[in-house]
Every structure is written in structure tokens, then in C-alpha cells.
Amino acid sequence: MKLRLLASTPAVETLIATAMLTTTSGASPSSLFHRLSANPTKVAETVGRIEVQHGSILEHNRLDWLLEAREGEVLKILLANRFFSVTRLGSDSWLLSANLRTILEYQVEGDEFSGLLMSSIENLIPSAYAFGRRKA
Amino acid sequence: MIVELLAQTSSRELLAALPASEIPEKDFLGHLSFTFAVEGISRACSHQLVRHRVASFSQQSQRYIQVKRLNEHVVTPPIITEKAAYDFASFIDVASNVYSKMVEGGVPKEDARFVLPNATETSLLMTMDGRSLMHFFGLRLCNRAQWEVREMAEEMLRQVRLAEPELFGEIGPYCVQLGKCPEGRFSCGKAAEMKARYS
């Protein structure tokens, strides 16, 4: 099995912080997003407080991968979590996408695919990566 | 009302990274996402948004955020301004006073909010995949949609057309997307007019 990240929503952690503060502060989401975009320290601090119970804040993004896997392996992934989207590109080649909540929730499987997912976001979404590792 | 497309997964970026392959447009759209900030809409409007289940929402919480000066933070339908402005304003004043009195008297915000009207303003972050967004436009740009959510959909469409002209350039309500109105006997009968407007 091979997994390669192809594309992602930009500024995923800024969007997570924006979602967190939108729900609990009186500030508007657009002004929060623009203020946070200029303040990576505040973003890291806010995202560092993620609680898994409030998973919806992790859904404002989408990541796309090229997955090379056999049909049975893809079926196993889809049976474990219905929030992955898959399009067949070739016999063992798939376009796969999901949001960060799905990635983190998949970690309970503890299989090869969960490890590949986490590795693919290590540099892109470092705070969420650290959170996912703690939960695992 | 303020609507801003904050972020998206770019179709160009994804297509450039994909190995050459044929993907039906409907399937491809499901792999893209669009995140909007929506501000100053009524709770009546946000109730309609959450009917769109394949979407994610982070909305200002009335459990945590106290509504202050309610009469400055309500959405008033134009027809009410025209026909019932005084009654509407009187009701908002009463609701505002009762709410504030309850909060000051120790009623938790999560319970005091039971007297707040659907007109109360709210803000939220909303994310939809491309396919759900097409469906949203199909329904909410329709002449039969409620004016506030239609106004919001118009602004969303304007912004996604700038960001993804190839995907959304020809998109409109379902009569435009399908080439015929699916509303049956409720049809407004203006399919040709809508096609000219959105094409």
C-alpha cells in the first residue's frame, strides 16, 4: 500500500482555530480568520487545545491523496470509516479524500493505512499531527 | 450579511498532481471543499443551512455568547419593514428586555436564549464539498427559495465563480443545471429567464 498527498485546503490549522473561536467568542469568523492568519503563534496555541469531543471544528478542510492499494484494502478502509471519499483511477489506483476529523478518528484502527495517513500530515498540520499521536 | 470564501481545495492544484485519468466531473467535485464565513444572517436562515447534511458548520453558540443589544442584531425581512415595522420592533424590544433580565437574574444563557427570536443574527463557518455545493445552488438559487438564503447563495456563487470559473461558470438553480424545472406544479415558469440570468 502506498499513499501520496496530492492537494489540501490551505491554512488548515488557521481554519481550525477560526472554527474554535467562532463558536465561543463574539468575533466574526472572517475577522478571526484574517487576524489568525497573521498570528501563527496564536493558531498553534489555540489548536493545541483541541478536544476530540468537538470534532466538527476539524471538518473545515479536505485533503486528497493518491492511494495505491488492492480493492480489498480499500473496502476495509471504507468499512472502518464511511467518511472517506474514493474514486477509482486504475486497477489498484485510487483518488482518496477526507477531512482531518476522519484522519484522526481512523487512528483507532492502528493499521498500516492509519500510519500512512498520519505521516502525510506531519509537516502540513503539525499541531493536529501531535494531537493524533497523543491520542494513538 | 457578509459572505466570504475563506479557503478551498483547488481543482487546478489537484488536477495538476493527479496522474492522467478520466474522472467524471461529479466524482471529482466530491474531492474538493469550500469553506465560507457567513455573518449577520438570521437564525431562520441558518436553520435552513443545516438541512444540508453533507456539510460542516461551526456556529456562534448562544450557550457561550450573550446576545447584547438584540434590537441592533436582528435581521428584518423587507416585507415586515413595509407592513409591520412597529409590531416587529415592539416584539424585539420585549424579547430583548426579558432575555437581559433573565441573564442578569442568574438564568444561564443556554436557557435564557429560549426567548430569542428567529430574527436574531448569527455567524458561522460552513464547509461543503463541491458536489454538495452544486446541490445547494440547485435548491437555494431557485425562485422558490426563501429570500435570505437565496441572497446568501447568490453571493456564494459569485465568489466560487471567481475561484473556480471552469467548474461553476454555468451553474445556477436546478432549472439551469438540469435544463428543466424539477418543481412540478410549484414551478415559477421562468426557466428561460433563469437560464439567461445564470449562463
Side-chain angles (χ1 to χ4, degrees):
Chain A
M1 181 186 284
K2 285 184 186 168
L3 187 72
R4 180 163 64 90
L5 186 65
L6 300 174
S8 165
T9 307
V12 172
E13 297 203 336
T14 308
L15 285 168
I16 296 169
T18 302
M20 289 170 81
L21 296 175
T22 292
T23 55
T24 54
S25 80
S28 66
S30 63
S31 63
L32 282 169
F33 179 76
H34 295 301
R35 281 210 304 267
L36 288 165
S37 295
N39 191 346
T41 309
K42 175 78 173 167
V43 170
E45 179 195 310
T46 308
V47 178
R49 299 198 309 259
I50 289 176
E51 291 175 37
V52 79
Q53 293 94 328
H54 299 283
S56 59
I57 56 164
L58 303 171
E59 295 174 5
H60 298 287
N61 56 76
R62 193 151 201 98
L63 292 89
D64 296 272
W65 299 268
L66 178 66
L67 172 66
E68 289 175 40
R70 292 188 304 276
E71 203 170 61
E73 292 174 316
V74 175
L75 179 62
K76 184 172 171 274
I77 292 166
L78 292 175
L79 289 173
N81 192 312
R82 68 194 175 99
F83 294 106
F84 285 104
S85 293
V86 178
T87 300
R88 185 168 220 153
L89 301 174
S91 60
D92 288 339
S93 172
W94 313 81
L95 172 59
L96 176 89
S97 69
N99 62 43
L100 185 58
R101 180 180 191 167
T102 304
I103 297 171
L104 294 179
E105 288 184 349
Y106 191 85
Q107 294 311 303
V108 296
E109 298 299 318
D111 57 10
E112 181 191 2
F113 179 64
S114 66
L116 292 172
L117 279 175
M118 286 307 280
S119 299
S120 75
I121 66 164
E122 184 174 0
N123 297 321
L124 185 72
I125 321 172
S127 304
Y129 173 80
F131 171 76
R133 279 281 170 249
R134 281 199 307 274
K135 294 301 288 181
Chain B
M1 176 194 299
I2 294 172
V3 176
E4 184 178 343
L5 175 61
L6 296 183
Q8 61 176 115
T9 45
S10 157
S11 67
R12 274 160 288 216
E13 186 188 339
L14 181 54
L15 282 171
L18 261 179
S21 40
E22 292 286 318
I23 305 178
E25 186 173 284
K26 267 194 173 177
D27 289 349
F28 182 66
L29 282 166
H31 295 286
L32 303 175
S33 85
F34 299 82
T35 300
F36 298 88
V38 180
E39 299 162 15
I41 59 167
S42 69
R43 280 247 163 187
C45 186
S46 72
H47 290 326
Q48 294 176 81
L49 289 183
V50 297
R51 307 289 171 98
H52 292 268
R53 293 173 297 162
V54 190
S56 301
F57 305 96
S58 295
Q59 183 172 17
Q60 276 182 352
S61 168
Q62 288 181 339
R63 293 183 68 203
Y64 294 99
I65 303 165
Q66 184 175 343
V67 178
K68 291 174 181 161
R69 301 185 307 280
L70 177 65
N71 55 4
E72 293 173 22
H73 296 283
V74 289
V75 175
T76 311
I79 191 71
I80 287 184
T81 304
E82 189 187 319
K83 291 184 181 288
Y86 176 79
D87 288 341
F88 184 81
S90 304
F91 174 77
I92 296 298
D93 278 344
V94 171
S96 180
N97 289 337
V98 173
Y99 173 81
S100 301
K101 204 170 162 183
M102 285 201 288
V103 172
E104 283 159 22
V107 175
K109 292 189 281 292
E110 67 177 14
D111 293 325
R113 66 178 167 163
F114 277 59
V115 301
L116 293 175
N118 269 330
T120 309
E121 274 185 359
T122 188
S123 294
L124 53 93
L125 206 60
M126 176 176 75
T127 299
M128 284 185 185
D129 69 54
R131 197 189 305 186
S132 301
L133 193 55
M134 291 277 188
H135 176 60
F136 176 84
F137 288 143
L139 292 175
R140 304 300 182 176
L141 290 169
C142 173
N143 268 335
R144 296 193 64 237
Q146 185 254 354
W147 65 270
E148 191 182 12
V149 77
R150 195 169 66 229
E151 194 177 305
M152 187 188 139
E154 290 275 2
E155 183 55 24
M156 286 167 62
L157 178 65
R158 192 185 69 76
Q159 295 189 32
V160 293
R161 278 184 168 182
L162 291 174
E164 294 282 1
E166 294 88 358
L167 291 174
F168 290 93
E170 301 286 313
I171 291 303
Y174 267 132
C175 60
V176 174
Q177 291 188 32
L178 303 173
K180 60 177 183 179
C181 175
E183 296 287 323
R185 68 190 176 91
F186 297 109
S187 175
C188 70
K190 296 177 181 169
E193 190 183 304
M194 297 298 265
K195 186 170 171 39
R197 182 172 170 189
Y198 289 99
S199 298

